[in-house]
Amino acid sequence: MTISQKMQDALIEQLHHELYSANQYLTMASYFLKDDLDGFANFFLVQAQEENLHAMKQFKYLHDVGGHVKIQSIPEPINHFTSITHVFEITLAHEKKVTQSISNLIKLSLQENDFATHTFLQWFITEQVEEEALVNTIIKKLKMIGDNSSALYLLNDELAKRTFDSQSE
Ligand code: FEO
């Protein structure tokens, strides 16, 4: 099986978005570690691992279908945050962009009659639904918490429990 040049280029661009996402989430983890909010930091460390996994899935797939990956520079992520809610709002906006980008890839796979890539991308669009829902839930909780620091620490404890499971992906 051979992938078209157009499909290959678009998937490589997506792979770069995933690497950017991993870096973005590392900067967020660092923001929380600075304030000893280990649970929030853990949430973003796991998120960064997931993004690396997404990139690796695309890397493997591209080679499985006869492609080749040239890694280029990754833009600097956002490094300045004004509040916890701000971090999650940036996350949600970013994930919405990724969802749009995966949707564009799915459209392209149909235009190219590339049914293997179309099937490959289904996992990613399902993942986007989960990621957006998860971040949305946390934003709602943060809004309810307001400036109640005990409630904030409870959420911090909850987020500390998130684990990365590469087998379930
Ligand atoms: Fe790989 Fe968060 O999308």
Side-chain angles (χ1 to χ4, degrees):
M1 176 161 306
T2 315
I3 193 166
S4 71
Q5 191 64 47
K6 199 170 176 186
M7 193 76 244
Q8 180 180 185
D9 290 347
L11 270 177
I12 292 172
E13 195 181 332
Q14 181 62 36
L15 189 154
H16 284 77
H17 293 326
E18 307 289 354
L19 294 174
Y20 172 88
S21 303
N23 288 346
Q24 179 64 85
Y25 295 140
L26 280 180
T27 68
M28 290 169 167
S30 179
Y31 169 78
F32 288 115
L33 283 173
K34 183 168 51 68
D35 291 334
D36 292 329
L37 285 166
D38 292 27
F40 283 95
N42 175 64
F43 178 89
F44 283 103
L45 286 172
V46 171
Q47 194 62 34
Q49 284 176 293
E50 290 205 350
E51 299 302 347
N52 275 321
L53 180 79
H54 299 170
M56 289 309 113
K57 273 180 182 276
Q58 290 156 9
F59 183 88
K60 180 177 184 308
Y61 178 77
L62 278 158
H63 290 87
D64 284 349
V65 292
H68 169 71
V69 174
K70 185 177 172 202
I71 298 291
Q72 294 176 315
S73 59
I74 316 277
E76 184 177 320
I78 298 168
N79 271 298
H80 177 72
F81 311 105
T82 54
S83 67
I84 297 178
T85 305
H86 183 223
V87 172
F88 281 90
E89 281 169 348
I90 291 173
T91 302
L92 184 59
H94 178 66
E95 287 304 331
K96 283 185 174 176
K97 269 197 227 160
V98 174
T99 302
Q100 189 55 54
S101 142
I102 299 281
S103 302
N104 291 341
L105 285 172
I106 292 174
K107 275 187 222 155
L108 180 63
S109 70
L110 289 174
Q111 284 160 15
E112 298 282 297
N113 287 330
D114 183 344
F115 302 112
T117 301
H118 186 264
T119 301
F120 171 70
L121 291 168
Q122 301 309 303
W123 182 89
F124 289 91
I125 201 75
T126 306
E127 178 76 359
Q128 285 311 118
V129 172
E130 285 173 18
E131 288 200 351
E132 282 193 30
L134 179 61
V135 177
N136 248 323
T137 304
I138 296 172
I139 290 174
K140 278 187 200 152
K141 286 184 182 178
L142 284 168
K143 286 187 176 154
M144 276 190 285
I145 287 170
D147 52 11
N148 179 337
S149 53
S150 320
L152 187 67
Y153 275 95
L154 282 178
L155 180 58
N156 184 60
D157 288 349
E158 183 188 323
L159 297 180
K161 295 189 188 115
R162 187 180 190 201
T163 55
F164 175 64
D165 180 4
S166 63
Q167 302 309 312
S168 71
E169 297 292 323

